[in-house]
Amino acid sequence: MCIRDRYGSSITHGGNASLMSKTYAFRLAESLGADCINLGCAGSAWMDSAMGAWIAGRKDWDMALFELGVNVIGEWSPQMLYEAASSFIRQVKEAQPDKPVWVTDMYYNHHDFHHDPKASAFRDAIKTCVEQLKEQYPRLEYLNGLEIMGEKDGFTCLSSDGLHPSDLGHEVIAQRLSERLAQKKSCHP
């Protein structure tokens, strides 16, 4: 049994899904036949070192998926995000170098349809961070959030706040993540 550990914002937590069973975390685990430890932190996925140490020290997960960036877009610069994400990911990978860790940036949201340049800069910061750390940690992968749920999926994938996925959005995220994780057979070396 592969146990998947998820860390991220209220989106990972399941914000605005009508039922827990409609969240992308639940649906992804179900589609992959895995157990799920959901560490979604609504409004507080700030990549703090205490959370990083806690995840790094746990031995009850086989694979992790981190959704990073959206909780700090109003507070941080892209450079601050890069530094925090680098530190957080490195902390986990140093303790668990053989376990696969996937990192996704922000899914399509109101920052995109308002053409906020920070959205693109934040995605670039996460991508650069993961690409640089991958040289040291080969079982680290980057997933572009817009490829998982993007503008092409339309507004029906978003809830009325323009940030959180609707039930359909959670389904789209789960389906696309499932396809990518299954391709890599991420629970097995």
Side-chain angles (χ1 to χ4, degrees), residues 22 25 27 33 48 56 74 84-85 93-95 118 120 136-137 151 159-160 180-181:
K22 292 188 179 280
R27 289 176 172 197
D48 56 281
K93 288 304 293 175
E94 282 179 3
K118 219 171 177 185
S120 177
Q136 185 176 355
Y137 306 108
E151 184 175 11
S159 64
S160 61
R180 282 160 179 82
L181 297 178

Side-chain angles (χ1 to χ4, degrees), residues 25-36:
F26 182 92
R27 289 176 172 197
L28 177 59
E30 185 177 50
S31 73
L32 296 173
D35 290 331
C36 173

Side-chain angles (χ1 to χ4, degrees), residues 46-137:
W46 289 51
M47 298 154 273
D48 56 281
S49 62
M51 180 60 90
W54 187 70
I55 294 170
R58 292 177 43 235
K59 305 294 183 207
D60 62 347
W61 57 276
D62 300 309
M63 177 272 177
L65 173 65
F66 300 152
E67 173 242 326
L68 304 178
V70 76
N71 280 156
V72 296
I73 195 167
E75 306 294 326
W76 291 359
S77 68
Q79 183 62 33
M80 290 172 69
L81 172 62
Y82 171 85
E83 291 168 6
S86 292
S87 178
F88 182 82
I89 296 165
R90 184 177 289 111
Q91 188 175 19
V92 173
K93 288 304 293 175
E94 282 179 3
Q96 306 282 352
D98 296 326
K99 292 185 179 180
V101 173
W102 294 73
V103 181
T104 184
D105 53 39
M106 299 179 301
Y107 307 119
Y108 184 71
N109 64 65
H110 63 82
H111 295 283
D112 297 300
F113 58 78
H114 288 301
H115 306 290
D116 181 350
K118 219 171 177 185
S120 177
F122 265 45
R123 288 189 182 93
D124 289 343
I126 295 296
K127 181 180 180 184
T128 300
C129 165
V130 173
E131 286 175 348
Q132 290 176 350
L133 289 173
K134 187 171 175 62
E135 294 173 14
Q136 185 176 355
Y137 306 108

Side-chain angles (χ1 to χ4, degrees), residues 4 28 31-32 63 65 100-105 107 141-150 152-153 171-187:
R4 293 163 193 278
L28 177 59
S31 73
L32 296 173
M63 177 272 177
L65 173 65
V101 173
W102 294 73
V103 181
T104 184
D105 53 39
Y107 307 119
E141 299 288 339
Y142 167 75
L143 295 167
N144 182 307
L146 292 178
E147 292 176 7
I148 304 301
M149 187 183 83
K152 66 187 177 299
D153 299 305
E171 177 61 30
V172 166
I173 293 168
Q175 184 177 42
R176 291 196 181 130
L177 286 173
S178 179
E179 291 166 1
R180 282 160 179 82
L181 297 178
Q183 286 171 355
K184 293 284 188 169
K185 298 183 174 111
S186 62
C187 282

